[in-house]
Amino acid sequence: MNIVTFMDYERKQMNKFLKEAYRLGQIGMRKNAGGPFGAVIVYKNKIIGRGYNRVLETNDPTKHAEMMAISDAAKHLKRFDLSDCELYATGEPCPMCLAAIAWARIPTVYFGNDYKATSEIGFDDKPIYQFMMKKPSKIKVKMIHINSRESAELYKEWANKTDKRMY
């Protein structure tokens, strides 16, 4: 008789979810929709959000696998707070996806390939991280703060809004 420990069961579940992320990444890559990236969102041990990279297919740089999976999961659950979910991805999330994961409040991310492996196939996020940390970077975006009455009034209106919903 083969006894499966709880750890073994957990590992099998994780592998099952990562395999689905890999399958999605392969679909998108083979369709030339984008890079080899797939992701799934899991809620109560069930996949409720799926995505693969669609940057090339849509000409939209925000259509990363994780972003697509988060959007699909939020639509499925009819809520933006995914704090009771997990994300499984083929690669370590880029800065944009990591920020979206934080906004969605997803507490755990499992990924197959790390940043170094992703960089080695041509997806190098180091300049973005450097830019975000205000270190010298090849990325140059001029940021200009325009202190305007209208923008201040808009924020003041939000602060005083009695029926607002925070996210």
Side-chain angles (χ1 to χ4, degrees):
M1 185 166 139
N2 188 9
I3 298 174
V4 178
T5 65
F6 184 69
M7 266 306 251
D8 291 336
Y9 174 76
E10 262 185 348
R11 187 173 290 114
K12 284 180 183 175
Q13 289 299 95
M14 284 189 289
N15 287 338
K16 177 177 86 172
F17 300 137
L18 272 176
K19 282 181 182 177
E20 177 62 6
Y22 296 145
R23 186 185 75 78
L24 291 166
Q26 195 173 55
I27 288 170
M29 178 183 64
R30 289 181 177 171
K31 285 174 50 175
N32 288 321
F37 306 108
V40 297
I41 305 285
V42 174
Y43 171 71
K44 293 186 177 180
N45 222 23
K46 183 179 175 195
I47 295 173
I48 50 94
R50 288 178 167 80
Y52 59 82
N53 186 292
R54 292 188 159 156
V55 170
L56 298 175
E57 177 182 80
T58 63
N59 290 314
D60 183 339
T62 68
K63 299 298 186 192
H64 288 199
E66 297 90 338
M67 304 290 274
M68 303 300 292
I70 290 168
S71 181
D72 191 33
K75 182 190 275 185
H76 180 85
L77 293 175
K78 296 179 175 59
R79 57 186 165 92
F80 57 82
D81 184 339
L82 304 179
S83 59
D84 50 358
C85 298
E86 300 171 327
L87 188 142
Y88 292 78
T90 57
E92 189 170 354
C94 75
M96 174 183 67
C97 293
L98 194 54
I101 289 163
W103 274 109
R105 297 171 178 80
I106 298 169
T108 307
V109 175
Y110 300 92
F111 59 92
N113 296 298
D114 66 9
Y115 164 81
K116 186 174 186 253
T118 304
S119 178
E120 287 171 358
I121 64 165
F123 297 91
D124 186 7
D125 296 331
K126 187 176 180 180
I128 299 170
Y129 282 113
Q130 290 171 327
F131 171 74
M132 291 170 62
M133 299 300 292
K134 300 189 185 223
K135 293 182 179 178
S137 170
K138 67 180 180 184
I139 295 175
K140 303 293 180 212
V141 177
K142 192 181 289 187
M143 302 288 287
I144 301 169
H145 178 208
I146 300 174
N147 194 4
S148 70
R149 182 176 44 82
E150 293 86 357
S151 61
E153 287 174 3
L154 181 64
Y155 274 30
K156 185 177 180 181
E157 183 179 341
W158 171 259
N160 294 325
K161 188 170 168 50
T162 59
D163 63 341
K164 66 184 165 201
R165 284 185 61 211
M166 292 303 294
Y167 54 93

